[in-house]
Amino acid sequence: VHPVEMQDRLQQFQSLCRQRGLSLTVQRQRIFELILERRDHPTADQVYEDVKVHVPGVSRTTVYRVLDMLVDLGVILKAPSPGSSTRYDPMTRHHHHLVCRRCETLIDLEDAALDSSIQLPGAEQTQAFQIESYSIHFYGICESCRSGV
Ligand SMILES: [Zn+2]
Ligand SMILES: [Zn+2]
């Protein structure tokens, strides 16, 4: 995340906490910052491994709770998960993913041309289900898996 965007995201997080009456602890803020810096859609365990280096004495349970809280506030998202563990995504604007079948890497994909060519299904197909958003996963093999690294 770009430094300017980082500031915006932190401010948004702070005002959401204020609105909901949640205290903005240094721990919570630091965990959020560390997630914003990642582009690899980490699992909760990977976030914890990262956080414990930067926030001494933090417990796994705390990290898990903060992750739930961040998802609940909508400042991060749960990403599509090719494996069994939930993955977290700091990018909240509309985007898609390239999913490597082999190493389970998730790569962000923004493609305006793709978005403008998509025709959402009509009410007949969705049985009156109200669609709010969509995100596409393209499955395949990433560059490093292809080159056998
Ligand atoms: Zn791969
Ligand atoms: Zn993503």
Side-chain angles (χ1 to χ4, degrees), residues 13 23-33 54-55:
F13 177 48
S23 59
L24 188 75
T25 61
V26 177
Q27 262 187 1
R28 286 174 176 174
Q29 184 152 321
R30 197 74 190 99
I31 293 170
F32 182 49
E33 280 171 1
H54 297 91
V55 186

Side-chain angles (χ1 to χ4, degrees), residues 40-43 77-89 91 95-100 104-108 134-139:
D40 60 343
H41 306 82
T43 64
L77 300 173
K78 285 186 179 172
S81 201
S84 52
S85 322
T86 303
R87 309 264 293 259
Y88 295 89
D89 194 344
M91 185 141 131
H95 71 289
H96 310 289
H97 293 97
L98 306 174
V99 185
C100 179
E104 301 186 344
T105 280
L106 284 178
I107 300 162
D108 289 326
Y134 67 92
S135 154
I136 304 172
H137 320 145
F138 297 93
Y139 293 89

Side-chain angles (χ1 to χ4, degrees), residues 89-147:
D89 194 344
M91 185 141 131
T92 49
R93 66 170 184 267
H94 184 69
H95 71 289
H96 310 289
H97 293 97
L98 306 174
V99 185
C100 179
R101 292 193 282 109
R102 212 166 283 170
C103 68
E104 301 186 344
T105 280
L106 284 178
I107 300 162
D108 289 326
L109 173 76
E110 290 183 275
D111 186 339
L114 171 72
D115 291 331
S116 63
S117 67
I118 280 180
Q119 171 93 53
L120 293 179
E124 257 162 59
Q125 286 109 305
T126 63
Q127 301 167 29
F129 182 94
Q130 199 179 346
I131 294 173
E132 293 176 340
S133 66
Y134 67 92
S135 154
I136 304 172
H137 320 145
F138 297 93
Y139 293 89
I141 307 289
C142 76
E143 192 180 13
S144 56
C145 286
R146 265 207 337 269
S147 59

